[in-house]
Amino acid sequence: MNKIHPFFILAASLMLLMGCSEAESSEDGRPDVVVTTTFIYDMVQVISEDTDAFDTSLVIPAGEDPHIYQPKASDLKLILEADTLIYQGLNFEGRMVDVLDEGVSVTKNFSEDKLMFEGEGEADPHFWFDIDLYKSATNTVYETLAAAYPEHSEAFLLNRDAYFEELDALDSYVRECIEEIAPSSRLVITPHDAFGYLASNYDLEVHAPQGISTDSEVSNSTIEETANLIMSRDIKAIFVETTTNPDQMRRLQEIIHSRGGAVEVVGSEGEALLSDSLAQEGDSGDTYISMFRHNIDTITEHLK
């Protein structure tokens, strides 16, 4: 199990002794909703649109990998002083799970039969590639905010319902795109296994040398097995993710070339798949819907 950094624990103790555990409002006087990931930040922004109900603070910046993100003392201060704390759960925030217990997990209402598992029962945390699960998580955010800030609950509800309609339209778009790919070519190879829910819901296969967490090693035999799969299926492209090291994909390309084959590594600026984080604000993929469309457009373009 990932352990929180000793410095983080020490900082927690010091802040508690100094009385910093009491929630404080933001400098502008509004409450502060603190969220751990870009996905939850986007949910909160959608649900609270046009309300000015609170300020929202993000712990793990866009572009960082939550699996291995090393929290800082300033992150702890943010968490301890939150009026409302919302986090992902399913061990996604691997190195800070010990300080999130007082918050609300967006996955708390998930049924186990809807989740995917790896190895010895470890739940795959990348649920956002299942739009129905994402709607469930968004609804938990709505319920949390409505309970905490009831004077805005009606606006929150209207925003949620409008957003659900957009998510339904996104689901239809994804299905249409997948139909453009020949069934034999519907194999998505990425560095780590973040796209299992996508595969399960949209008639795709995914394969990744690494497991569901980036905080693990990749064996030479696994790389070789992946290369064999690419060759046997004559796959045209393999994909880099924005939050993972691209070296695995380049190594696969070198192995394929050494065997007389050819495969494209898709990961140039603007094309890498977004898996564990949304894009930086202002870039393509900085919202959940634009992230999903970016990924499916990229996969479709290079596999069809």
Side-chain angles (χ1 to χ4, degrees):
M1 178 183 294
N2 292 318
K3 296 295 184 182
I4 197 162
H5 194 282
F7 176 74
F8 201 59
I9 297 174
L10 176 61
S13 301
L14 290 173
M15 287 183 177
L16 288 171
L17 287 172
M18 294 171 63
C20 294
S21 59
E22 295 182 2
E24 298 176 6
S25 296
S26 303
E27 291 182 1
D28 60 8
R30 292 190 297 178
D32 196 17
V33 174
V34 174
V35 303
T36 52
T37 71
T38 54
F39 298 100
I40 306 174
Y41 187 86
D42 190 50
M43 292 178 192
V44 169
Q45 294 301 103
V46 168
I47 296 299
S48 64
E49 186 176 9
D50 296 329
T51 65
D52 279 337
F54 45 75
D55 291 326
T56 309
S57 298
L58 174 65
V59 177
I60 304 174
E64 295 280 352
D65 181 354
H67 292 290
I68 60 174
Y69 178 75
Q70 187 62 62
K72 304 181 291 291
S74 58
D75 297 326
L76 177 65
K77 184 174 186 295
L78 201 60
I79 290 168
L80 290 177
E81 294 184 352
D83 292 287
T84 304
L85 172 64
I86 309 176
Y87 68 100
Q88 204 97 6
L90 301 180
N91 203 38
F92 188 51
E93 302 93 340
R95 298 184 181 182
M96 61 170 63
V97 293
D98 294 342
V99 295
L100 298 175
D101 289 346
E102 296 303 314
V104 176
S105 168
V106 299
T107 59
K108 69 173 186 173
N109 294 324
F110 284 9
S111 171
E112 278 200 3
D113 62 353
K114 300 294 184 182
L115 292 171
M116 303 183 70
F117 294 86
E118 179 186 75
E120 299 179 358
E122 183 179 3
D124 184 342
H126 306 93
F127 68 86
W128 46 92
F129 291 116
D130 179 325
I131 292 177
D132 283 340
L133 284 178
Y134 196 80
K135 288 169 72 174
S136 175
T138 302
N139 191 60
T140 295
V141 169
Y142 154 70
E143 292 176 343
T144 301
L145 296 179
Y149 312 101
E151 64 274 21
H152 299 285
S153 60
E154 185 175 348
F156 294 161
L157 180 61
L158 291 173
N159 288 338
R160 185 207 66 177
D161 290 348
Y163 189 52
F164 279 8
E165 291 183 9
E166 293 183 55
L167 294 179
D168 290 339
L170 174 65
D171 178 68
S172 297
Y173 177 79
V174 173
R175 296 184 187 282
E176 291 171 5
C177 288
I178 298 300
E179 287 299 316
E180 297 180 25
I181 306 172
S184 61
S185 298
R186 294 177 187 174
L187 176 61
V188 180
I189 294 180
T190 59
H192 94 294
D193 197 0
F195 297 94
Y197 292 98
L198 183 73
S200 178
N201 284 279
Y202 296 106
D203 194 23
L204 287 168
E205 294 178 63
V206 295
H207 184 84
Q210 207 163 25
I212 59 177
S213 174
T214 54
D215 197 11
S216 59
E217 298 296 326
V218 181
S219 67
N220 290 332
S221 62
T222 301
I223 291 288
E224 287 290 333
E225 290 169 6
T226 306
N228 292 339
L229 182 61
I230 294 168
M231 291 290 289
S232 66
R233 293 282 293 272
D234 192 26
I235 297 302
K236 301 174 184 177
I238 57 181
F239 300 88
V240 170
E241 302 166 49
T242 58
T243 53
T244 59
N245 190 325
D247 289 350
Q248 290 178 30
M249 297 298 100
R250 293 178 184 141
R251 184 178 170 197
L252 279 170
Q253 185 183 48
E254 291 171 359
I255 294 172
I256 298 301
H257 285 182
S258 72
R259 298 179 182 181
V263 67
E264 178 188 7
V265 176
V266 179
S268 61
E269 185 175 353
E271 279 202 309
L273 299 184
L274 294 152
S275 56
D276 288 346
S277 172
L278 300 181
Q280 299 280 350
E281 186 175 356
D283 291 345
S284 175
D286 64 351
T287 67
Y288 173 75
I289 289 178
S290 64
M291 173 278 295
F292 214 130
R293 289 179 68 100
H294 162 83
N295 283 347
I296 210 64
D297 288 347
T298 301
I299 290 168
T300 302
E301 178 64 27
H302 290 278
L303 293 184
K304 69 179 180 180

